[in-house]
Amino acid sequence: GQQLNQSPQSMFIQEGEDVSMNCTSSSIFNTWLWYKQDPGEGPVLLIALYKAGELTSNGRLTAQFGTTRKDSFLNISASIPSDVGIYFCAGYHNTNAGKSTFGDGTTLTVKP
Amino acid sequence: DADVTQTPRNRITKTGKRIMLECSQTKGHDRMYWYRQDPGLGLRLIYYSFDVKDINKGEISDGYSVSRQAQAKFSLSLESAIPNQTALYFCATSDSWAYTQYFGPGTRLTVL
């Protein structure tokens, strides 16, 4: 089946620093999604990307749909303590029976 | 009120017991999913349902069963719980034409 490699697995940064994480796959996806899971809660959608090369921002977050359709990147600028959580990428392809494939997550810790 | 609710939020049980986790949604979505989250392993799909009469196995369905009682309700059962089923369980919903999933708050299950 389709698998996603998400890296890094964890990050420890100082408040104010920028963050970058990425997902790669051996398969092509039609849609890339980035979710954030706050401690004790379920994941919530941050950004959805629908086209190869697309660059989309949501506040301090910017995500890109790779031109090969096999990767995606998420950047967080000027991190703040509430950015703490687990970030998941997810890929969707219309041949996968309506299911998304999730990465293993990047755990972000921000030190004040 | 939350769009996707899960009950119970926490459960401790013993090996061999039958357990049911319940999920309800008010989003009017046709599609519902059950995931399991273990540290470092991301979200793994257990079962999914695209309508009341459609139930499908995910990647880790062994030891689990589900029931879609209505469009808004999707239950996950562990017929005979075992310790390696200790995990965080999430229910999610999505519209039939969209890829975004909406997650419940999760149920933390501990099997002793």
Side-chain angles (χ1 to χ4, degrees):
Chain A
Q2 297 166 322
Q3 290 189 326
L4 294 183
N5 296 310
Q6 187 171 351
S7 65
Q9 189 173 37
S10 61
M11 302 182 75
F12 295 82
I13 62 170
Q14 289 291 141
E15 183 176 358
E17 291 183 358
D18 296 343
V19 173
S20 291
M21 59 190 78
N22 69 82
C23 264
T24 60
S25 171
S26 57
S27 305
I28 288 172
F29 288 106
N30 298 126
T31 300
W32 282 96
L33 305 141
W34 285 92
Y35 292 83
K36 182 194 177 193
Q37 182 182 17
D38 286 326
E41 300 187 15
V44 174
L45 182 72
L46 295 174
I47 292 178
L49 303 157
Y50 301 106
K51 217 165 49 170
E54 180 181 353
L55 187 71
T56 297
S57 293
N58 178 5
R60 293 178 295 106
L61 278 61
T62 301
Q64 184 163 22
F65 192 140
T67 54
T68 66
R69 296 169 63 194
K70 293 183 179 181
D71 56 6
S72 181
F73 306 87
L74 176 70
N75 295 315
I76 305 172
S77 62
S79 59
I80 59 178
S82 62
D83 290 334
V84 164
I86 304 176
Y87 291 79
F88 291 102
C89 62
Y92 175 87
H93 194 284
N94 54 14
T95 59
N96 197 23
K99 299 175 292 178
S100 291
T101 302
F102 283 84
D104 289 344
T106 294
T107 300
L108 179 64
T109 302
V110 180
K111 302 175 194 174
Chain B
D1 288 339
D3 295 317
V4 184
T5 57
Q6 292 183 235
T7 56
R9 293 294 312 277
N10 288 283
R11 182 72 184 268
I12 300 174
T13 190
K14 294 183 178 179
T15 297
K17 294 291 188 181
R18 184 179 188 276
I19 297 296
M20 179 180 285
L21 309 182
E22 299 188 349
C23 176
S24 294
Q25 54 115 344
T26 58
K27 298 192 74 67
H29 289 165
D30 291 324
R31 298 184 174 188
M32 298 187 74
Y33 310 79
W34 275 104
Y35 291 92
R36 168 178 172 159
Q37 184 180 25
D38 297 279
L41 293 180
L43 295 163
R44 293 185 290 168
L45 184 62
I46 306 172
Y47 271 95
Y48 61 103
S49 169
F50 285 173
D51 65 42
V52 174
K53 297 181 180 179
D54 177 74
I55 303 288
N56 304 280
K57 292 182 178 180
E59 58 183 303
I60 55 162
S61 59
D62 287 349
Y64 302 95
S65 62
V66 291
S67 172
R68 184 84 183 263
Q69 301 94 325
Q71 187 205 35
K73 295 184 182 297
F74 193 34
S75 300
L76 176 72
S77 293
L78 289 68
E79 297 301 325
S80 180
I82 56 177
N84 76 0
Q85 290 177 313
T86 293
L88 192 53
Y89 290 85
F90 287 103
C91 172
T93 74
S94 71
D95 209 327
S96 55
W97 54 268
Y99 320 120
T100 303
Q101 294 189 26
Y102 298 85
F103 287 83
T107 294
R108 184 167 297 281
L109 177 66
T110 302
V111 183
L112 302 175

